[in-house]
Structures are given as C-alpha cells and as structure tokens.
Amino acid sequence: MLARRVLIGVPYLWLLVLFLVPFGIVLKIALSDYALSIPPYTPTMDFSQGWSGVKRFFAALDLENFWFLSEDDLYWKAYLSSLRIALISTFLTLLAGFPIAYAMARAPQEWRPALMMLVILPFWTSFLIRVYAWMGILSNEGFLNQALMGLGVIGTPLTLLNTDIAVYIGIVYTYLPFMILPVYATLERMDESLLEAAEDLGCSRLSAFWSVTFPLARPGMVAGCFLVFIPALGEFVIPSLLGGSGTLMIGKVLWEEFFANRDWPVASAVAIVLLLLLIVPIILFQRNEQKQREANR
Amino acid sequence: MTSSLDDTAFAPWKKADAVPLIRFEGVTKRYGDFTAIDNIDLNIYEREFFALLGPSGCGKTTLMRMLAGFEDASEGAITIAGQNMKGVPPNRRAVNMMFQSYALFPHLTVYDNIAFGLKRSDMPKSEIAGRVEEMLRLVQLGKFARRKPHQISGGQRQRVALARALAKGPKLLLLDEPLGALDKKLRQQTQFELMDIQEKTGTTFVIVTHDQEEAMTVASRIAVMDHGRLVQVDTPDRIYEAPNSVYVADFVGDIDIIRGHVAAVDGDIAEIVWAEGKPPLRGTAAPGLSAGGPGALAIRPEKITISKDDPGAVHNKVRGKVEDIAYLGSMSTYVVLLPDGVRLKCQMANVRRISRRGIAWEDDVWLSWTDTAGIVLPE
Ligand SMILES: Nc1ncnc2c1ncn2[C@@H]1O[C@H](COP(=O)(O)OP(=O)(O)O)[C@@H](O)[C@H]1O
Ligand SMILES: [Mg+2]
C-alpha cells in the first residue's frame, strides 16, 4: 500500500520539482519590480523580520508588469507575429511531412526501419550546428545561391538569410521529424484492404486517397501539427540566427528582456503569458490524443 | 445416387444454350516464377451461388481478386457479362467484394459505410437514404446505423460488410471467406441468411471457403482447387458422392481410402486388388477409369456396416479389430484396423441402445458394404 503510494507519488514529485516550483518562481518574479540589485528585482522574502516581513513581501507583489505588456504594442505584435510564423510553418511542415510519411508507409516493409533511421538521424548532431549549417546554405554567397547561379537560374543572389523565409525553412527543417513520425504511425497502421474496398465501391485511386487515407491519417496529422506548433511558437534560436531584424518572435523578445535589458520581471511576465497561450493548444492536443485512444479501443 | 434434377430445377450449367455470366478461358496468373493460377477454364452462370473450395494457399483469393479487378491475368481471358475485363479497373466493374477482413471504414458510421459506394455512383442523392435503409433492414442492423465499426460485434461487422457490398446492386458479389471470423453457431445461422439474401436479391455469388461443410451448405456448385488448378467443378452432391479423384474425395468430408491396383473394369463396376491373397473389392468405376493402373477405393464411413458375424455373400467384406470407438450421440464411429495395417472408419446410427450392440474395443469384427457404395478412382 505504501509502496503503491510512493510509486504513484513519483510522477507527481517530478511535476512539482520540475514544473510547479519553477513556475512559482517565475510567477513570483513576474509580480515583482525591476531593481538595480542582485537578484535584479524586488521584493525578496526576508524571514528575519518574521510574519510582518512575509506580509510586506506579499503586499509588494502586483500585476504592474502585465499591464506594461498590454500597453507596449511591441509585445502584442511579437505574440501575434510568433503565432503567425508558428501557424504558417506548421502548415508548411505538414505539407512537406505528409508526402514523406506517406512514401515511407508505402515503402516495402524491409526498407521502413532504414527510412525511419534517416528521419531520426539529424537528431544525432547538435541542433545549433544544423542551424548554423543553414546559415551557410542560405547566405548570399551560400551553397544555394551558388548552385542556382551556377545553373543559370538566377543572375543575382537571392536574399534569403535574415528574412522570414529563412525562419520558415529553419523551423520546417528542424521540426519535420515531429510531423513525419506521428503521421507515419497512423498511415502504417492503416489496413491496405481499406483502399481496395474503396476502389471496389467506385473510387478512383485519388478519391480513395481523399475519402479514406486522408481522414484516417487525421489524428496523426493533428498530433504532428501540435508537436510542431507548440515549440515553434516560443522558438528563439532559429529566428535569432536565421531571421532578420524585422523578424519579430516572442522567444527573441523574451531573450532580449532577460539578457539585454536585464529586466527579469518583464521577461517573466512575457514567459507567463506565453505559457498561458500554449496551454490552449496543449489541452486541445491532449483531447485529440484521448479521442484517438478511444477510437482505437 | 446421382442427382436427378428435373428441367425446372436451377441448373444452367446443364443447358447447352445458357450463356455464362463469368467465363475464364485458359487463365493463368503468375507472381514472378510462381504460378498461383494454372490454366483455368471455368463458366459461372447468373444467379449461381458458386463456391471455391480448397486448402489455404491454393489460389482461391487470387482467382477472386482477378474477378474484382485487383489482379490481371498473366495469360488467358476473363469475361464478365460478355465483356473482356482485361485492364478494367475495380471501380468500373459491376462487381463488389466482401473482404476477408471486412475492410470497413473505421472513421465512418455503419450508415456511411453502406452509403459509401452509393455516393460514388450515379444514384440521385434523394434515393440514397432509402437504399441504405433497405440494406440495413436486409441485414437487420437498423438500430446500429449510427454506430462506428468498433462499436459493434464481429457478427454485426460481417453484416455491414455484406450490406455495403450489396448496396450498389452488383451483378456479381464476391465473398472471400466471409464467415471465417465467426464462431460455429453464428456461422451456420449466417450461412442460411446468406442463401436467403442471395435468393432475394438474385445476385450471383462467388464465395471462397476452406470449409467443405460451408461450401456444401450454401453452394449450387463447388469448384475444388489444388495448387492453382481446378480439380473438380460440380454440384455439392456430385462432389460428395462422385468425386473424380482421391484429392477431392479426401478433401470433402470423412472418407476411407483403400489403395491398390485396378484389376478389372466392367461397365460401371471396377475391381481393385488391395492385399495379397484377399479377394478384390468392388466399387463404382470413376469415369474414364481403365484397368491395369494404380487406383483407390474411396468409401464414406456411413456406408460401411459393422458386425460381429460374417455378413455372408457380399463381395466387399473385410475382417479387422476395433481400435477405437467414438460415441457421438446419434452416431458412433468405429475405427477398425485391418491385419494389413489399413485403418477404416465406419459410422453407424445408434438406433439400438449402445449396450445391446455389443461391439467393444479389441473385438474382431466384419466390415461390409455393397458393390456400388464405394467409388474406384485412378491415382
Ligand atoms: N501478391 C503476391 N505475390 C506473390 N505471391 C502471392 C501473391 N498473392 C498470393 N500469392 C501466392 O499465391 C498463392 C495463392 O494465394 P491465395 O490466392 O491467397 O490463396 P488462398 O486464398 O487459396 O489461401 C499463395 O501461395 C500465395 O503465397
Ligand atoms: Mg485467401
């Protein structure tokens, strides 16, 4: 009985230590005020003054930073622009990932593990190095421009690096496996005879795809979209390395608040709002998972 | 007992002027250098309930898939209703198939599964609902129209698959081991329902099965297959009573096989020498049997009489020792070992109380049967 409780307790302990406690700390900082001190905010809990110290501490917390976020339109623009970039790149990832997953699921059985390896392979190199590699590919003198000019497709180099396009490319490239794997999993599970049944009942190959394959792959696509969308929304590395000065993403704003402005309270408030924004898709994602589990029962 | 069907009975294969719905002419199907279907000629007529019977891997599904349009014949021609089907895709054939796995669309309700084919046909939208309702009534699933396939039982799924395949009113319905996943009782019940539905709709059914009892129950004719070849195509009673080979005899029902040498053929009766120093046994000669070659006498266990006393003046009598007795309620099966090592099964109806029959394990007994009870087959 005790052992059971301990066993059940472990995941909750993880949740407490790794999520709730840090969240509490960030929330507390978000409610504090900026100060030129170490740490760079006030108030801090002072237990030496006893109960009145605790009361004074709580009295000094307020929502000022959140008001500030709503007043300065930089933040709203950054949130909206992150949302836009995350949505578009999620869609692009789906567009690129679906055919790959489809081809993998249709490949001969004995090839599939190897294909799966190829999809996962990039994870074996550092993410940063891979993004740097894209800088080398996309810059004005980069491989892509050289190749295109060498082939005579273009006369002058395309400006790709430090634009939104480079950010899209970076996000699609980085998160593609997260799209391919769940879509592949649903497609691979699909019974081949369903397509034959559809053809038998009057579908052409194409309409069999749209009326059978596509709806059956939907749970996988939804899962993949969330797995891409959620991290893409708060993405920081890709926009700061590949994006330009015009690329506004909330991850970048957050970084600048923390490290350039050293305004921890505002930065924490930005993080909290981002978290709240993310909770919506996360809940939707879990619903999707649950629905799928029920359907598979 | 050859079938004595009169002219009014349904037997289009006997009429010289009947035009078959399906015609296989020299059809061969190869996968690489493996021959799955080997030079088959076969006619199937309208309104037939035609069964393909054979062990697993003999090519039943392949034959069926060629009719549905999923496979093309490597050689030969398949015509359906006078049209050569070469290169005609499945969606352009008036043929529907009920799949071995049912292949119901898991994301659609029972209703939408049945409506699937109709929505892709030229049926006006307004008539679709009526047709689906009709199909639901036919398979008695009205109450389950809104359920998804995973919310109904195996037997119900099987009916949905049937209704879906019948909804478009195909000329030909293909059923690939339709009852394989059902338990025995449900199977038998469904067999009768299938026959009923076939009669009501007037559709030609081609059914695949590896269960000879099922084939015997439902079919108007049976094709027994072996390694991609048709061994015998005939009515169930002929397949049972007059198999044309040891293979067919052995495959369909319980049978005793006594191997030997065809000593003489005299009209309908053939004699087979089966053991040295023993009188030859007699049986009906299979068509085309000639004396001099190896042969086998095949006889159904229920046609053998067992007794403790010498049956007297009959040609076919052998002595042996009772090795096993299985009491099956209305019947008992005796396994009798002959001195030569041949084992024969004999089945007797239990008309008398079992204690009074007086045959027990290890008893010496006589087995006997009439001249025409068995059939002598070439080997
Ligand atoms: N697509 C295929 N490729 C290669 N061999 C096949 C293929 N389909 C069936 N076969 C072979 O053809 C033979 C007949 O198969 P099938 O028609 O499915 O048998 P049945 O339905 O009578 O069990 C089997 O030996 C099977 O292995
Ligand atoms: Mg089969």
Side-chain angles (χ1 to χ4, degrees):
Chain A
M1 195 63 209
L2 185 71
R4 234 179 85 112
R5 282 213 184 141
V6 170
L7 215 60
I8 295 173
V10 169
Y12 286 103
L13 196 71
W14 277 124
L15 200 64
L16 187 75
V17 172
L18 296 179
F19 180 76
L20 284 177
V21 170
F23 178 76
I25 295 171
V26 173
L27 182 63
K28 187 254 148 193
I29 298 175
L31 297 172
S32 310
D33 292 321
Y34 175 71
L36 267 175
S37 61
I38 296 174
Y41 52 84
T42 178
T44 46
M45 185 79 87
D46 188 357
F47 288 107
S48 64
Q49 301 195 4
W51 179 236
S52 65
V54 175
K55 269 208 287 197
R56 207 169 317 135
F57 167 78
F58 276 105
L61 296 179
D62 54 46
L63 291 170
E64 199 183 338
N65 296 316
F66 291 95
W67 296 130
F68 174 70
L69 288 192
S70 64
E71 279 160 13
D72 191 335
D73 64 358
L74 164 78
Y75 299 103
W76 286 120
K77 279 185 183 152
Y79 281 121
L80 283 179
S81 152
S82 298
L83 211 59
R84 185 177 53 87
I85 290 176
L87 281 174
I88 293 175
S89 36
T90 302
F91 181 69
L92 293 176
T93 315
L94 178 62
L95 236 47
F98 191 94
I100 299 176
Y102 186 78
M104 279 171 66
R106 282 310 182 90
Q109 191 84 44
E110 61 271 19
W111 291 15
R112 291 182 198 168
L115 291 172
M116 183 87 107
M117 264 326 280
L118 288 178
V119 171
I120 308 173
L121 205 60
F123 285 121
W124 292 11
T125 2
S126 154
F127 164 59
L128 271 178
I129 291 176
R130 285 183 286 132
V131 178
Y132 272 117
W134 274 108
M135 293 172 73
I137 294 169
L138 296 176
S139 69
N140 281 4
E141 307 79 38
F143 294 122
L144 187 62
N145 276 318
Q146 281 183 5
L148 289 178
M149 291 206 295
L151 289 172
V153 182
I154 48 172
T156 50
L158 297 170
T159 312
L160 292 170
L161 191 60
N162 302 330
T163 64
D164 283 3
I165 293 174
V167 176
Y168 292 135
I169 292 176
I171 295 181
V172 171
Y173 164 76
T174 305
Y175 293 109
L176 196 58
F178 294 107
M179 183 64 78
I180 293 177
L181 294 180
V183 175
Y184 168 72
T186 51
L187 287 177
E188 203 234 13
R189 223 177 23 217
M190 204 182 87
D191 184 358
E192 208 51 51
S193 63
L194 292 179
L195 289 178
E196 289 188 343
E199 282 184 54
D200 187 66
L201 291 166
C203 282
S204 63
R205 286 271 162 87
L206 188 67
S207 69
F209 173 85
W210 283 114
S211 42
V212 177
T213 312
F214 195 74
L216 285 177
R218 218 177 54 192
M221 289 193 282
V222 173
C225 284
F226 281 120
L227 289 177
V228 174
F229 177 79
I230 292 167
L233 188 61
E235 185 54 56
F236 156 68
V237 175
I238 294 169
S240 49
L241 292 184
L242 301 179
S245 50
T247 310
L248 198 55
M249 281 196 81
I250 199 65
K252 220 164 109 183
V253 172
L254 186 69
W255 192 89
E256 272 158 16
E257 289 296 348
F258 254 114
F259 297 100
N261 296 349
R262 280 184 59 79
D263 191 340
W264 287 23
V266 167
S268 301
V270 170
I272 298 270
V273 173
L274 181 60
L275 190 73
L276 293 179
L277 285 181
L278 282 178
I279 279 177
V280 177
I282 287 172
I283 289 176
L284 289 177
F285 172 67
Q286 291 201 324
R287 268 227 201 124
N288 173 61
E289 292 280 288
Q290 193 170 347
K291 245 187 11 209
Q292 203 187 343
R293 263 200 303 278
E294 269 164 25
N296 287 340
R297 231 177 341 137
Chain B
M1 189 205 84
T2 48
S3 62
S4 55
L5 295 166
D6 54 85
D7 285 345
T8 56
F10 176 75
W13 51 88
K14 286 187 157 179
K15 298 196 180 94
D17 58 340
V19 180
L21 177 67
I22 304 166
R23 197 193 279 273
F24 285 88
E25 283 165 307
V27 174
T28 294
K29 173 71 192 176
R30 290 192 200 89
Y31 293 110
D33 53 9
F34 175 77
T35 308
I37 296 291
D38 193 358
N39 192 20
I40 276 186
D41 289 297
L42 176 65
N43 289 338
I44 299 175
Y45 297 86
E46 208 158 317
R47 303 180 80 97
E48 260 203 271
F49 202 136
F50 194 89
L52 295 169
L53 179 64
S56 187
C58 71
K60 305 181 299 287
T61 299
T62 305
L63 202 62
M64 188 141 271
R65 288 173 61 81
M66 289 198 286
L67 283 174
F70 296 120
E71 310 280 356
D72 261 329
S74 313
E75 274 168 35
I78 300 172
T79 41
I80 299 180
Q83 185 194 357
N84 189 329
M85 299 314 274
K86 190 167 178 59
V88 180
N91 56 337
R92 302 223 180 285
R93 297 185 177 206
V95 175
N96 282 120
M97 179 150 171
M98 187 181 150
F99 287 77
Q100 197 164 1
S101 61
Y102 303 155
L104 297 180
F105 304 120
H107 59 297
L108 298 180
T109 60
V110 166
Y111 184 98
D112 288 328
N113 262 284
I114 296 173
F116 191 93
L118 299 174
K119 287 180 181 164
R120 283 152 189 85
S121 67
D122 46 15
M123 181 179 268
K125 263 210 166 86
S126 54
E127 289 171 26
I128 291 179
R131 178 71 179 158
V132 176
E133 296 295 338
E134 190 187 331
M135 285 296 127
L136 284 168
R137 263 200 307 280
L138 186 71
V139 296
Q140 300 159 33
L141 278 176
K143 274 187 278 182
F144 301 96
R146 295 286 148 221
R147 300 255 187 108
K148 292 268 180 76
H150 71 269
Q151 294 166 321
I152 57 178
S153 74
Q156 290 164 340
R157 261 175 247 161
Q158 181 265 341
R159 288 148 187 273
V160 178
L162 179 63
R164 185 180 71 178
L166 277 172
K168 288 177 82 175
K171 276 196 200 130
L172 171 63
L173 183 73
L174 307 170
L175 305 105
D176 192 355
E177 310 229 358
L179 313 179
L182 305 184
D183 61 61
K184 190 161 178 170
K185 202 165 162 206
L186 198 53
R187 255 178 110 100
Q188 288 174 342
Q189 186 191 333
T190 315
Q191 283 165 9
F192 288 109
E193 281 171 8
L194 272 184
M195 293 160 73
D196 201 37
I197 287 172
Q198 196 256 349
E199 195 130 306
K200 262 191 218 157
T201 57
T203 313
T204 307
F205 278 28
V206 175
I207 189 174
V208 157
T209 178
H210 62 258
D211 176 352
Q212 49 96 10
E213 239 176 278
E214 185 165 295
M216 302 290 257
T217 309
V218 299
S220 60
R221 277 193 308 158
I222 297 174
V224 182
M225 293 182 68
D226 182 31
H227 287 100
R229 261 185 266 246
L230 295 178
V231 187
Q232 186 171 6
V233 181
D234 227 324
T235 53
D237 61 320
R238 297 274 307 157
I239 294 267
Y240 191 79
E241 301 283 345
N244 69 357
S245 61
V246 175
Y247 177 82
V248 173
D250 205 20
F251 195 80
V252 180
D254 250 351
I255 199 146
D256 290 316
I257 305 280
I258 302 172
R259 294 194 148 82
H261 190 84
V262 183
V265 178
D266 178 16
D268 280 353
I269 297 291
E271 278 191 352
I272 187 162
V273 177
W274 64 289
E276 254 175 71
K278 298 256 169 70
L281 298 174
R282 290 187 174 189
T284 309
L289 183 78
S290 56
L297 177 75
I299 181 161
R300 301 283 171 197
E302 69 267 19
K303 295 197 171 157
I304 300 181
T305 309
I306 189 167
S307 60
K308 291 180 92 164
D309 310 318
D310 190 326
V314 291
H315 285 109
N316 297 325
K317 60 179 179 183
V318 291
R319 256 180 96 78
K321 206 185 254 309
V322 176
E323 201 180 50
D324 203 359
I325 303 175
Y327 175 67
L328 307 166
S330 58
M331 305 263 229
S332 285
T333 302
Y334 302 85
V335 179
V336 176
L337 182 64
L338 309 189
D340 324 72
V342 178
R343 255 184 205 84
L344 292 186
K345 254 193 211 171
C346 150
Q347 210 164 48
M348 296 281 282
N350 288 328
V351 284
R352 277 191 271 171
R353 295 294 299 265
I354 198 159
S355 55
R356 289 182 50 200
R357 161 106 23 87
I359 292 173
W361 269 270
E362 300 296 321
D363 277 356
D364 283 318
V365 291
W366 286 95
L367 297 180
S368 60
W369 59 93
T370 62
D371 284 4
T372 53
I375 181 162
V376 179
L377 300 162
E379 277 213 287

